[in-house]
Amino acid sequence: MSQAPRSGGVSAAEVFDAVGVRYEEVFADVPGQLAALDWLTGSLPPGARVLDVGSGTGRPVAETLARAGYAVTGIDVSAEMVRLARERVPAASFEQADVRSYRAPEGGYDAVCAFFPLLVMDQPEVERSLSAMASWVAPGGAFAMATVPGDVRGLDIVWMGHRVTVSSLATEDQLRVLREAGLEIVHHHTALYRPHGPEAEPEPHLYVHARRPA
């Protein structure tokens, strides 16, 4: 969850710079995320090119995919997250970039994964970014994502001690955007997850696995 414009007077980059490695600790061992990684590693060919959007500390996503032998590129808006990821997962490549302005290389990627990168932005940007990420999936490629679903725009919350403004799309709209971008939905489900920490509240997570026809 680390791509976004300014929020509550503080930029998302500043928020995630401050959160740093705590994100990895608070959101460790998320079952739906681990299942999505199992799906990706079980369906991609050796050496597949994978883009990890909102790569955070690089764990567990980039680390798992790089260990499986894929060519992993991670992008994150936070310089601190990029620093941590480069330190933790030297087998992958990381760059500081915003999903809203990122330009994929010609031919796209064999897989794109996006675990919670679109929440701290405005609702129209969520839809545009979701559509863009889907467009980066090459023919025959895979897409895996997770988010907190809901028809929400500009909701102020306190997240990990920081005031942020979040937006999202309802589940049916998330799926619609992906289908309009040419992806076929393979699987989707919603599950409750309680982050680690004494003040954490359970939150719904939507998981989607999709493919682009060859």
Side-chain angles (χ1 to χ4, degrees), residues 99-158:
V99 66
R100 297 166 300 154
S101 55
Y102 180 73
R103 294 293 179 266
E106 186 175 353
Y109 293 90
D110 300 306
V112 175
C113 53
F115 296 103
F116 309 101
L118 305 182
L119 290 165
V120 192
M121 58 175 63
D122 197 14
Q123 201 174 53
E125 293 176 313
V126 174
E127 182 162 345
R128 287 195 296 270
S129 297
L130 186 58
S131 180
M133 291 191 302
S135 75
W136 301 335
V137 179
F143 178 80
M145 67 161 284
T147 192
V148 178
D151 185 7
V152 175
R153 184 174 188 182
L155 177 66
D156 290 329
I157 65 171
V158 175

Side-chain angles (χ1 to χ4, degrees), residues 41 44-50 61-72 91 110:
T41 56
L44 294 175
R49 301 159 299 150
V50 183
V61 178
E63 183 177 61
T64 299
L65 297 171
R67 189 184 298 126
Y70 305 131
V72 181
D110 300 306

Side-chain angles (χ1 to χ4, degrees), residues 3-57:
Q3 305 281 342
R6 299 191 69 83
S7 173
V10 179
S11 74
E14 291 169 318
V15 170
F16 286 98
D17 283 347
V19 168
V21 73
R22 287 177 53 227
Y23 184 88
E24 181 181 316
E25 298 164 355
V26 171
F27 291 90
D29 303 320
V30 183
Q33 185 180 51
L34 298 177
L37 289 173
D38 285 344
W39 176 69
L40 285 173
T41 56
S43 59
L44 294 175
R49 301 159 299 150
V50 183
L51 177 68
D52 180 12
V53 180
S55 47
T57 68

